[in-house]
Amino acid sequence: MLRFVKRTLGFSSTESVRILMYHKVLPEKEISGKDFLTVSAEDLEKQFQYIKNHYNTLFFNELSTSSHLKAKLILTFDDGYLNNLQYLVPLLEKYQLKSTIFIPTGLIQNNETDKNRDMMTFEEIRSLNPEYVEIALHSHSHKNYSQISLQEAADDLQENIRNLEEKKIRFTKVLAYPYGKFPKKGEQKKNFFTMLEKAGITSAVRIGNNIAYYPWKNKFEIKRIDIKGGDSFSVFKWKLRLGKIKL
């Protein structure tokens, strides 16, 4: 409320940015049972239609030059699933929207030769149209950063960066924490964020289910809004409005 009052009275230059978190996209007929990580292509199209009419999508790397845009929204998809290429990208092109896809390079690497792979290949990631897709970081091994040592996390992150650079894939140095986890206690947290700074990470996103504000107050603790498979359209709109469905 205080932030709202300050903005209303002109005392604050921060602006709201809704950052939505997705993972998989499949046609409704291919989704079996309750699958919170998979949004149906039909639901996603309805959501995109609404976003197109009410918000301006942008990339993380455009935030500093997009102060003129109102109703900012960043679409994010974690992990680089093959179904993103099959179903997400055509919808981005159809509605002229932008999305950031966070890539865990180790999972991509391990999946490339699998005949029944469910991840994109590096070649497919490299071929994504930069007009609609921004690539960013999601670790190499997809380990929980709150459960490994600082050095392990630093090495893993550098491997993530090195792999994308070697594959000549353009990317933004924004990190999505695997499982949304990172060290949160005192000195551990401070040292972890110092490591991110030294690695050149410009910002990092978690979950949190709340509306973010830019410029970031805590650039390594940016909250995203989790859009789940099975969310009704009214729940989706409620999340866009408030960031969460429970007050």
Side-chain angles (χ1 to χ4, degrees):
M1 181 61 74
L2 181 59
R3 185 191 298 273
F4 175 78
V5 171
K6 285 183 176 180
R7 293 179 65 233
T8 303
L9 296 177
F11 298 147
S12 174
S13 60
T14 59
E15 288 193 276
S16 63
V17 183
R18 284 155 175 80
I19 307 175
L20 308 188
M21 181 182 75
Y22 296 85
H23 289 80
K24 304 176 185 179
V25 188
L26 286 172
E28 183 68 46
K29 62 184 179 182
E30 295 183 25
I31 302 173
S32 57
K34 288 186 177 181
D35 184 353
F36 294 130
L37 289 183
T38 305
V39 173
S40 75
E42 293 86 350
D43 282 351
L44 188 64
E45 179 156 19
K46 192 173 182 180
Q47 292 170 10
F48 278 9
Q49 288 171 341
Y50 186 82
I51 288 169
K52 179 68 175 178
N53 291 328
H54 294 86
Y55 294 91
N56 290 297
T57 61
L58 69 164
F59 298 141
F60 283 95
N61 66 14
E62 295 176 322
L63 276 166
S64 63
T65 58
S66 300
S67 58
H68 62 289
L69 285 180
K70 303 301 179 184
K72 296 180 180 67
L73 186 145
I74 300 178
L75 294 166
T76 71
F77 283 75
D78 287 7
D79 300 332
Y81 291 101
L82 179 59
N83 54 53
N84 287 189
L85 177 63
Q86 297 166 322
Y87 303 106
L88 164 64
V89 173
L91 289 176
L92 293 174
E93 293 173 346
K94 180 176 181 179
Y95 292 101
Q96 302 286 287
L97 300 176
K98 299 177 178 182
S99 178
T100 301
I101 299 179
F102 291 105
I103 300 297
T105 43
L107 299 192
I108 300 297
Q109 198 173 65
N110 295 337
N111 203 239
E112 280 201 306
T113 57
D114 189 338
K115 291 182 180 179
N116 298 312
R117 63 187 172 90
D118 58 359
M119 315 295 284
M120 285 186 278
T121 64
F122 284 118
E123 183 178 354
E124 288 167 339
I125 293 167
R126 188 168 51 247
S127 71
L128 294 170
N129 189 338
E131 185 177 346
Y132 302 109
V133 177
E134 171 188 53
I135 299 301
L137 304 164
H138 196 33
S139 85
H140 179 69
S141 60
H142 206 274
K143 290 180 179 177
N144 185 331
Y145 277 0
S146 70
Q147 296 179 350
I148 60 178
S149 72
L150 179 64
Q151 189 58 55
E152 286 178 298
D155 291 344
D156 182 84
L157 181 56
Q158 286 301 326
E159 188 74 0
N160 194 193
I161 293 169
R162 185 181 65 79
N163 269 265
L164 291 175
E165 289 176 340
E166 286 185 352
K167 299 297 182 181
K168 294 181 169 49
I169 294 170
R170 291 187 296 178
F171 65 97
T172 300
K173 282 193 171 181
V174 176
L175 170 67
Y177 299 119
Y179 311 103
K181 304 294 185 180
F182 57 95
K184 295 181 181 178
K185 293 182 180 179
E187 200 68 20
Q188 285 183 319
K189 178 178 178 180
K190 180 182 176 182
N191 292 338
F192 182 78
F193 286 173
T194 298
M195 179 274 288
L196 295 184
E197 196 81 57
K198 288 180 178 178
I201 303 303
T202 58
S203 55
V205 297
R206 46 179 291 187
I207 306 176
N209 287 313
N210 220 328
I211 296 167
Y213 288 85
Y214 185 84
W216 316 122
K217 181 179 179 181
N218 298 304
K219 67 179 181 179
F220 296 142
E221 298 184 68
I222 300 167
K223 294 179 179 179
R224 292 190 288 174
I225 301 167
D226 186 10
I227 306 300
K228 296 181 181 294
D231 280 352
S232 67
F233 189 54
S234 61
V235 165
F236 170 75
K237 289 192 292 183
W238 189 259
K239 286 182 175 181
L240 278 184
R241 182 183 174 193
L242 296 177
K244 52 194 170 186
I245 54 175
K246 291 182 180 179
L247 295 177

